[in-house]
Amino acid sequence: MPRLALTAGEPAGVGPELLARLASMPFAAALIAITDRHLLQRAATRCGVPLQLHEDDGQPHAHVPGSLRVQHVPLVVEEHPGKPDPRNARHILTTLAEAADGCLAGSFAAVVTAPLQKASINDAGIPFSGHTEFFAQRAGVDVVMMLASPELRVALATTHLPLRAVPAAVTAGSLERTLRIVHAELRARFGLAEPRIAVLGLNPHAGEAGHLGREEIEVIEPTLARLRAQGMSLLGPLPADTAFVPAQRERYDAVLAMYHDQALPVLKSEAFDRTVNLTLGLPFIRTSVDHGTALDLAGTGRADPSSLIAAARMALELAGRRGCVG
């Protein structure tokens, strides 16, 4: 019976309500929420769903719909839905740290995260780029962000960077590290013996033979050639505007995009409620929703839990494939 850690993200966002709704679903796992128990109870009341909370005792109890085990991390101040308070930034980071450390220690098979508000944490004077970077630093490893739906997998060469900073960040060394991680994780986590990865160009039309930029010629193409010689199946660099047409999709198992908004709009427009955010390269499984804190919906009880449910199911599937029991 795997133990899945759940974090609620931004207390004033929809995360706590999503956890309350997730708890009503059947799962062949023990679900442990790492957050403030009173926050969860208030969220359940707002959603109109019954929720029984029990202190986590470290054991793999079978999940009972309508209940959650809790590792209590108290809020600094009570939440006001839709209005993030930077005073709760330390609470949020503590929940992430406890989840990561529990995974590293073998207490959890995976962590599933609800969305948080990066700006609120930075407003507290704590530099913070996102879940992906936090977990990478905590585990001391290089990681890759991937979003996956049943139809499409998209990994990112760069994550939460301003667009003007992207070209300098796409180096031969970083691109090779990223492709090695994606290739290894597609084999280990998704069971693909010989994964085929499509790599997008950085510039329009993949640089148009150097007329629209030289990154493809000077960085991307040589890196792909070097890795192909070592046995990787790599397509590209492909123009991003045609890489997702049906005829192209038949040729690959995953896509590596150069920056955040190059490919994710395609994925989210097709399968927003079925897409899961994964962090590849960690020594544990981490999945998350593919959306933000939805502050306009917080407190209304109307937030759709579909993406969080998909994230929990994928975490359970990946944990089973790797033989993790927590």
Side-chain angles (χ1 to χ4, degrees), residues 51-141:
L51 180 63
Q52 293 185 351
L53 301 177
H54 307 279
E55 183 177 354
D56 178 44
D57 60 4
Q59 299 303 308
H61 298 281
H63 174 63
V64 177
S67 70
L68 277 177
R69 298 274 165 177
V70 180
Q71 286 190 10
H72 180 60
V73 179
L75 290 172
V76 176
V77 293
E78 186 171 325
E79 80 288 353
H80 294 281
K83 298 178 180 180
D85 192 323
R87 289 177 291 178
N88 279 323
R90 288 292 178 189
H91 158 84
I92 297 167
L93 296 180
T94 298
T95 67
L96 300 184
E98 290 196 8
D101 292 349
C103 286
L104 290 169
S107 297
F108 304 120
V111 55
V112 182
T113 61
L116 49 73
Q117 195 80 1
K118 301 180 187 70
S120 182
I121 298 174
N122 282 281
D123 287 344
I126 305 170
F128 184 81
S129 298
H131 280 108
T132 301
E133 296 83 356
F134 179 92
F135 287 132
Q137 184 179 29
R138 197 78 181 180
V141 296

Side-chain angles (χ1 to χ4, degrees), residues 82-255:
K83 298 178 180 180
D85 192 323
R87 289 177 291 178
N88 279 323
R90 288 292 178 189
H91 158 84
I92 297 167
L93 296 180
T94 298
T95 67
L96 300 184
E98 290 196 8
D101 292 349
C103 286
L104 290 169
S107 297
F108 304 120
V111 55
V112 182
T113 61
L116 49 73
Q117 195 80 1
K118 301 180 187 70
S120 182
I121 298 174
N122 282 281
D123 287 344
I126 305 170
F128 184 81
S129 298
H131 280 108
T132 301
E133 296 83 356
F134 179 92
F135 287 132
Q137 184 179 29
R138 197 78 181 180
V141 296
D142 291 325
V143 301
V144 176
M145 177 187 289
M146 172 181 279
L147 276 83
S149 73
E151 299 82 19
L152 183 62
R153 304 181 186 99
V154 176
L156 301 178
T158 63
T159 53
H160 301 114
L161 291 179
L163 191 55
R164 64 185 177 184
V166 169
V170 179
T171 66
S174 68
L175 189 58
E176 180 172 340
R177 283 194 300 273
T178 297
L179 282 167
R180 288 190 183 281
I181 291 171
V182 174
H183 184 267
E185 295 283 65
L186 287 173
R187 295 184 67 186
R189 296 197 181 192
F190 292 92
L192 300 172
E194 297 182 5
R196 303 165 301 164
I197 304 170
V199 180
L200 304 186
L202 174 66
N203 299 292
H205 298 183
E208 196 74 65
H211 295 284
L212 294 177
R214 296 192 58 81
E215 287 84 359
E216 287 77 12
I217 294 173
E218 296 175 359
V219 177
I220 302 176
E221 291 177 0
T223 302
L224 300 190
R226 185 165 58 253
L227 294 176
R228 286 191 192 104
Q230 298 175 25
M232 288 192 193
S233 178
L234 304 172
L235 302 173
L238 301 178
D241 61 347
T242 56
F244 297 99
V245 300
Q248 289 281 29
R249 290 196 191 191
E250 296 177 359
R251 303 173 62 201
Y252 56 73
D253 301 300
V255 174

Side-chain angles (χ1 to χ4, degrees), residues 13 21 29 35 52 57 81 87 125 129 157 173 248 254 260 297 302 316:
R21 291 195 178 279
T35 186
Q52 293 185 351
D57 60 4
R87 289 177 291 178
S129 298
Q248 289 281 29
H260 189 279
L297 287 177
R302 301 198 309 268
L316 185 57

Side-chain angles (χ1 to χ4, degrees), residues 272-277 288-291 304-312:
F272 187 71
D273 60 343
R274 295 177 292 121
T275 297
V276 175
N277 187 338
S288 186
V289 296
D290 70 340
H291 59 74
D304 185 352
S306 298
S307 186
L308 187 66
I309 293 169

